[in-house]
Amino acid sequence: MANPGAEEDHLARYRSPLVSRYASAEMAFNFSERKKFGTWRRLWLYLAQAEKSLGLAITDEQIKEMEANLDNIDFKMAAEEEKKLRHDVMAHVHTFAHCCPKAAAIIHLGATSCYVGDNTDLIVLRDGFDLLLPKLARVISRLADFAEKYADLPTLGFTHYQPAQLTTVGKRCCLWIQDLCMDLQNVERARDDLRFRGVKGTTGTQASFLQLFEGDHSKVEELDRLVTAKAGFKRAYMVTGQTYSRKVDIEVLSVLASLGASIHKICTDIRLLANLKEIEEPFEKDQIGSSAMPYKRNPMRSERCCSLARHLMTLVLDPLQTASVQWFERTLDDSANRRVCLAEAFLTADIILSTLQNISEGLVVYPKVIERRIRQELPFMATENIIMAMVKAGGNRQDCHEKIRVLSQQAAAVVKQEGGDNDFIARVRADPYFSPIHKQLESLLDPSSFTGRAPQQVAQFLKEEVRPALIPYQSKMGGKIELAL
């Protein structure tokens, strides 16, 4: 096989479809090398600034030199250094020192690799949550609008995927929204619970910093506080080993896995409704549903969400296992695993939220199909109403029950054995026994009388729980989103 040209090199190497095909530019950048190593340099700057303010021999000239080269990263040199040193942090210390010769002696002063590694991870996780939260809020907002619009539209409810009592299209949507509101609350909590690792030293004892400040504990504590504040965190973990506790990663990925479960359930419902031809996700004018069957309108967006949500739900197993095998102050068998699972969890969550937003902005409802399915099942559901009406008209409850049992079984046989429509009401109309209530049958079969408080529940839920939860995100609701590939 011929070697590809330079412009096609990317086609000759595996690229994760999470980035190349689906994820937003913002989330892809959040887990990029440029973001990572640029943050390392900022953390070295924060450390030097704080150490200088507390009396170490660091000059303004050294600080300015570092500030001027925060984004001046020679990635080729860093790669060569890492190949030689087999240590990514020291490779970037040398690369930063190369463009900051005056500051070279004080870069990374007193720190261990996890000062930049773990603290950067925490910054990236925090920023990842900040990208996801408005997207999740937008999905909830779009679905809330949909629920409000269809709050009164009766539809057949299902339990065990068998016909049950009626609900409304809007009420069913509120089941989805409630799960997502729980996810919103959980993601907000996980984001707010994140702390900074801070400056803790090689095994978390801060021994190197205590030595730098000649045994002055108050200065070491102030150094930790200053750097934590510069990085935008209110608190740091009070105790760490060499790393922050890997249980933090469990908490982070647990809320994302839970979000994945919610979205999988929602999109499965949409796929089932698409099969029933009651509700469909948006389908573009030139979109092809099947290469073999031109008539098909496959729910590909919902299928994508389910597919990726399964991946998201499995990723929490990685930090669970990693946290369980961190010996004493740390081992390095966490590193390679975390490079994969943390980034993939946020990238995947980002993708399925964007896709679900696109779905929720274009859901198509077919009321006539819904009405027809109700007509097929409602006659049987109305039997109790018919019995009560007959009793009020002077009939005997047991006699009426037996009449209805016979007629309903006859109607069921037409449906199941002959493939016909449900003719139960026609049989009731034709039976003289039910003549006292013939004029009431229309009202007794009004679908809206079978939906209980569904419309009221929708209105109350959206007003009291959903809309207030979205207030912090009002300025970030944005317009409609275009679907990726």
Side-chain angles (χ1 to χ4, degrees):
M1 177 179 174
N3 290 328
E7 71 280 1
E8 294 184 359
D9 281 351
H10 71 281
L11 299 177
R13 304 175 66 181
Y14 173 78
R15 295 185 301 157
S16 169
L18 293 177
V19 174
S20 65
R21 190 173 179 88
Y22 299 127
S24 68
E26 297 83 5
M27 190 61 79
F29 174 76
N30 190 51
F31 287 92
S32 68
E33 299 284 272
R34 188 167 295 280
K35 167 77 176 274
K36 175 181 177 179
F37 297 127
T39 303
W40 283 14
R41 291 196 174 187
R42 283 162 177 79
L43 288 168
W44 282 319
L45 173 64
Y46 300 156
L47 181 62
Q49 289 173 330
E51 288 173 337
K52 178 182 182 298
S53 71
L54 292 169
L56 293 190
I58 296 173
T59 67
D60 288 338
E61 190 175 23
Q62 289 172 315
I63 295 295
K64 289 179 180 177
E65 188 180 51
M66 293 174 73
E67 289 174 336
N69 287 281
L70 290 176
D71 297 310
N72 179 28
I73 304 175
D74 186 339
F75 287 98
K76 183 178 179 181
M77 178 182 178
E80 292 171 351
E81 287 289 320
E82 184 173 355
K83 187 176 181 180
K84 179 174 62 176
L85 301 174
R86 307 295 294 178
H87 197 289
D88 57 348
V89 173
M90 286 310 300
H92 278 270
V93 168
H94 289 187
T95 304
F96 196 18
H98 180 74
C99 59
C100 297
K102 295 174 183 177
I106 55 93
I107 293 173
H108 198 66
L109 183 60
T112 186
S113 298
C114 286
Y115 167 68
V116 289
D118 272 31
N119 282 325
T120 292
D121 286 344
L122 289 162
I123 290 171
V124 168
L125 295 179
R126 177 198 64 192
D127 294 352
F129 278 139
D130 287 343
L131 291 172
L132 292 180
L133 281 165
K135 293 189 175 189
L136 177 51
R138 283 197 292 270
V139 170
I140 294 171
S141 175
R142 305 309 194 257
L143 289 175
D145 292 341
F146 179 85
E148 188 171 49
K149 181 177 180 180
Y150 293 102
D152 299 318
L153 181 61
T155 190
L156 184 62
F158 292 94
T159 59
H160 315 279
Y161 201 35
Q162 300 299 314
Q165 289 186 344
L166 299 191
T167 182
T168 70
V169 171
K171 171 63 192 303
R172 175 180 283 148
C173 182
C174 284
L175 299 179
W176 305 338
I177 295 170
Q178 181 168 249
D179 287 352
L180 293 176
C181 283
M182 293 172 66
D183 292 316
L184 183 70
Q185 187 177 44
N186 289 337
V187 173
E188 288 173 338
R189 175 190 52 76
R191 192 265 186 225
D192 293 342
D193 282 351
L194 283 177
R195 300 190 193 185
F196 202 52
R197 178 189 175 274
V199 288
K200 297 297 194 296
T202 305
T203 58
T205 65
Q206 298 178 304
S208 58
F209 297 105
L210 192 62
Q211 184 177 3
L212 279 174
F213 289 103
E214 298 178 344
D216 190 331
H217 289 268
S218 64
K219 285 191 174 181
V220 176
E221 291 177 8
E222 181 65 5
L223 177 70
D224 205 357
R225 188 194 68 78
L226 286 173
V227 175
T228 297
K230 286 176 181 292
F233 285 82
K234 295 179 180 178
R235 298 181 298 170
Y237 296 107
M238 292 187 69
V239 294
T240 72
Q242 188 173 94
T243 68
Y244 67 80
S245 171
R246 294 311 184 217
K247 281 186 71 67
V248 174
D249 296 343
I250 296 174
E251 293 299 311
V252 169
L253 265 64
S254 289
V255 299
L256 298 183
S258 183
L259 172 64
S262 299
I263 294 179
H264 197 293
K265 192 269 191 225
I266 293 167
C267 290
T268 299
D269 283 357
I270 293 172
R271 292 165 65 189
L272 293 170
L273 290 168
N275 173 259
L276 298 176
K277 297 181 175 59
E278 293 188 5
I279 293 179
E280 286 183 343
E281 64 179 38
F283 198 89
E284 295 168 13
K285 179 175 177 289
D286 296 324
Q287 183 175 330
I288 295 175
S290 168
S291 61
M293 295 164 280
Y295 59 87
K296 293 193 74 178
R297 292 169 65 95
N298 299 331
M300 53 83 65
R301 293 164 171 83
S302 298
E303 290 172 319
R304 176 185 300 174
C305 283
C306 290
S307 182
L308 291 173
R310 287 201 301 273
H311 178 58
L312 178 56
M313 287 186 282
T314 65
L315 289 173
V316 71
L317 295 176
D318 279 338
L320 281 168
Q321 296 182 71
T322 294
S324 71
V325 297
Q326 289 301 287
W327 305 342
F328 304 113
E329 281 64 48
R330 76 105 26 119
T331 66
L332 196 58
D333 63 344
D334 63 336
S335 179
N337 184 285
R338 294 175 70 251
R339 289 175 191 266
V340 176
C341 71
L342 295 180
E344 289 202 353
F346 279 85
L347 290 165
T348 306
D350 177 70
I351 295 160
I352 59 178
L353 281 173
S354 295
T355 307
L356 184 55
Q357 180 185 337
N358 177 265
I359 293 170
S360 62
E361 289 171 346
L363 284 173
V364 181
V365 178
Y366 296 104
K368 293 298 183 183
V369 177
I370 294 173
E371 181 183 346
R372 183 178 186 278
R373 183 157 285 107
I374 289 175
R375 285 201 307 269
Q376 286 292 310
E377 302 294 339
L378 188 60
F380 293 149
M381 298 176 190
T383 55
E384 187 66 21
N385 288 6
I386 293 173
I387 292 174
M388 293 300 100
M390 281 294 296
V391 170
K392 287 179 181 179
N396 179 284
R397 194 265 178 198
Q398 311 312 327
D399 292 341
C400 183
H401 184 279
E402 178 60 19
K403 283 277 189 181
I404 288 178
R405 185 188 69 81
V406 172
L407 294 182
S408 62
Q409 289 188 1
Q410 291 171 351
V414 171
V415 173
K416 294 178 180 179
Q417 298 174 19
E418 301 175 18
D421 291 335
N422 188 332
D423 63 359
F424 172 72
I425 296 301
R427 292 176 185 273
V428 170
R429 289 187 189 280
D431 193 322
Y433 176 81
F434 293 99
S435 59
I437 64 166
H438 280 169
K439 292 182 179 180
Q440 301 178 44
L441 286 176
E442 286 300 323
S443 61
L444 292 175
L445 290 167
D446 179 7
S448 63
S449 67
F450 291 83
T451 59
R453 298 191 65 253
Q456 291 74 22
Q457 288 178 348
V458 172
Q460 185 177 8
F461 176 58
L462 295 182
K463 179 182 178 181
E464 296 183 12
E465 294 194 22
V466 180
R467 304 295 188 191
L470 300 179
I471 290 174
Y473 306 98
Q474 288 298 329
S475 63
K476 299 180 180 179
M477 286 303 175
K480 289 190 174 183
I481 191 169
E482 295 297 325
L483 186 66
L485 289 174

